[in-house]
Amino acid sequence: MLGHLSERFPGKEEIIIRPLVVVLSDAKEEPERAWAREYVTEKLKPFFNDREKVEPLAPTVCLFYAKMNTPELVKQWMRRATEAVTPVWRDFILTALVKWRSSRGEMQEAKKLMEDIYLPANRNTALENYNDNLSVKEDTRALYDEIMQHIQVLCNDIDPFPVVINDHNGGGIFSLLQPLEKYPEKLSQLIHIITDKYPGSEVVSIVAAMYAEKQKSVGVIEMAELFLQKEEIIAITKPRKREELIKKIKKNPEILYAKLNEELLRLLIKEGLIDNEEAEIIRKEHHQQIGEANK
């Protein structure tokens, strides 16, 4: 089948094989699982040495091998996909594995995987998946109902009233709170209330930590927006391109944080406060702290 499709769509084999790997990953009985492992491994061989094809395939392939209980192949593909400097593809792989592990109730394993996710935006995606599955395990129906009651009170003066859907089996607690993100003061009050009421809830503690992280990003985003509104910038740039850049920064504020951190390190080196070796140690410690924040 793959050969026939490859003839019809030459040069697109990696796109064709991805949905096939997804389907085969759900094989339940061992004879079918054994066949699926052998078949997929054989079909993936032509892609393994082509980085451009390995990277987009890696999250799907690593998830397949995790489901097939072949951790050595998960590690092999993860190493191959992340040999470059950028950690983004490793993050995508880990995020997919966190979602799968937490959906199976393997919360400690999922939490351990989150420790290695580097970029904050990817870590937040993994945390949302983890927390949605944790909500089912922790039984947060009472929490959801109480959040809805507080939203009714806190947003009583907002016109139009934000549309909030209390679907415990649907989008999870982040979907429940998302409409309030336009009203940060209301959201902050709500998180403070539920944190006091449910001090032992891991779901609540994760939500509070995530929104605290988002609040840190606001100042940097505003700084970027003000800079891009300067007359000299407006005069030499296209409006659409500026808007696209702002959207990109809002989606991934760590872009600015990374640049700022690196410039501060360079300044410290220039002023003779640290040397290159010490700067590298600080970079590694910063990476480690990002992982510690997920514990």
Side-chain angles (χ1 to χ4, degrees), residues 130-142:
Y130 174 87
N131 217 22
D132 287 346
N133 289 311
L134 181 65
S135 294
V136 177
K137 188 171 183 287
E138 197 175 285
D139 190 6
T140 53
R141 293 177 190 277

Side-chain angles (χ1 to χ4, degrees), residues 20-28 33 36 60 63-64 67-68:
L20 186 61
V21 172
V22 171
V23 171
L24 292 176
S25 69
D26 289 329
K28 299 290 188 279
R33 286 167 61 84
T60 303
L63 185 56
F64 169 83
K67 289 183 176 182
M68 292 292 124

Side-chain angles (χ1 to χ4, degrees), residues 2-3 6 11-15 17 21 37-55 57 61 65 76-77 80:
L2 185 60
S6 299
K12 301 294 182 182
E13 293 86 355
E14 74 278 12
I15 298 173
I17 198 172
V21 172
R37 283 194 297 269
E38 185 178 344
Y39 179 81
V40 169
T41 301
E42 182 64 29
K43 295 302 178 185
L44 288 173
K45 284 180 180 177
F47 305 117
F48 193 72
N49 292 319
D50 187 337
R51 172 167 299 286
E52 289 186 6
K53 293 182 178 180
V54 162
E55 289 179 340
L57 270 176
V61 172
Y65 283 130
Q76 185 183 88
W77 271 79
R80 184 71 184 95

Side-chain angles (χ1 to χ4, degrees), residues 185-224:
E185 289 185 10
K186 307 280 187 185
L187 181 59
S188 178
Q189 289 178 53
L190 178 58
I191 290 175
H192 182 72
I193 290 168
I194 62 174
T195 301
D196 285 347
K197 182 72 181 288
Y198 297 89
S201 169
E202 188 181 356
V203 169
V204 172
S205 66
I206 289 173
V207 169
M210 275 195 63
Y211 278 110
E213 185 72 25
K214 286 185 178 182
Q215 283 300 107
K216 288 181 185 177
S217 303
V218 172
V220 176
I221 292 170
E222 288 178 347
M223 181 177 68

Side-chain angles (χ1 to χ4, degrees), residues 33 66-67 69 97-107 133 137:
R33 286 167 61 84
K67 289 183 176 182
N69 196 28
L97 293 174
V98 166
K99 184 176 181 180
W100 176 64
R101 288 286 188 188
S102 60
S103 72
R104 288 161 53 92
E106 299 170 0
M107 311 314 286
N133 289 311
K137 188 171 183 287

